[in-house]
Amino acid sequence: KECKAMMAHPTEITGFALVPNRAKSGKLKVVELAMVVCRHPNAGWLYTVGLQTDVSHEVPLQKLFASAADGTYAELVKAQEPAMKARLRLLDIQGGVASRYLDVKATEMWETLMQDALGVEAKALSDVSSKFSTTDGTSTDGSSSWEDSD
């Protein structure tokens, strides 16, 4: 439900949850999971990034489990949301250096996926213009360079 809302309104909604997670050491901790929607600058497609932050010092495991048991989990998440948004503002996910880094990583992942799936090197996204249909039926400007070149 939350992911669907994020994709429908990518600049307005950040998915957010508090979840138990196990550290490499085996110790349980509480993780703040923020899901952010980004738009790739070359391809124009949307992709999501999950950012995890250990917030065990703010939300102890016992408090997380108790809120799940007594039906107050939504209130706990709502109470933690301002701190999560403050952390996201510090990262400047929607336009700063972090955004460019995520775009590079999304490109690398896409190119690796295509290479693994097709068994050949895929055309680099940096070589592709940004005229594509979007999920809302609009198009981006530019011309497609997906045609075979001889």
Side-chain angles (χ1 to χ4, degrees):
K1 177 181 171 182
E2 190 135 354
C3 288
K4 191 173 184 178
M6 285 172 30
M7 296 307 277
H9 306 284
T11 59
E12 300 168 22
I13 297 175
T14 299
F16 175 58
L18 295 168
V19 295
N21 200 346
R22 189 173 302 277
K24 288 181 183 178
S25 67
K27 183 179 177 186
L28 279 175
K29 59 185 177 178
V30 176
V31 170
E32 168 188 282
L33 175 61
M35 296 293 294
V36 179
V37 178
C38 303
R39 182 174 300 280
H40 194 277
N42 293 31
W45 37 254
L46 299 175
Y47 64 94
T48 58
V49 176
L51 302 168
Q52 296 184 29
T53 305
D54 182 350
V55 293
S56 299
H57 61 286
E58 297 172 18
V59 181
L61 270 168
Q62 295 79 7
K63 186 174 184 178
L64 177 65
F65 290 142
S67 72
D70 66 18
T72 60
Y73 174 77
E75 288 122 28
L76 178 62
V77 169
K78 189 153 185 69
Q80 191 65 24
E81 195 169 356
M84 177 272 300
K85 287 184 176 183
R87 282 186 271 274
L88 284 180
R89 277 193 300 278
L90 289 174
L91 287 175
D92 192 20
I93 288 290
Q94 298 296 340
V97 173
S99 178
R100 289 189 295 280
Y101 173 79
L102 293 172
D103 291 338
V104 167
K105 289 299 169 190
T107 298
E108 289 172 1
M109 289 173 63
W110 181 86
E111 290 172 350
T112 299
L113 177 66
M114 291 298 104
Q115 187 171 6
D116 290 348
L118 302 175
V120 296
E121 191 166 326
K123 185 174 279 196
L125 283 177
S126 57
D127 296 337
V128 178
S129 75
S130 58
K131 179 167 178 138
F132 294 97
S133 295
T134 61
T135 56
D136 63 2
T138 60
S139 294
T140 59
D141 293 336
S143 62
S144 176
S145 60
W146 283 101
E147 295 80 27
D148 290 336
S149 56
D150 293 326

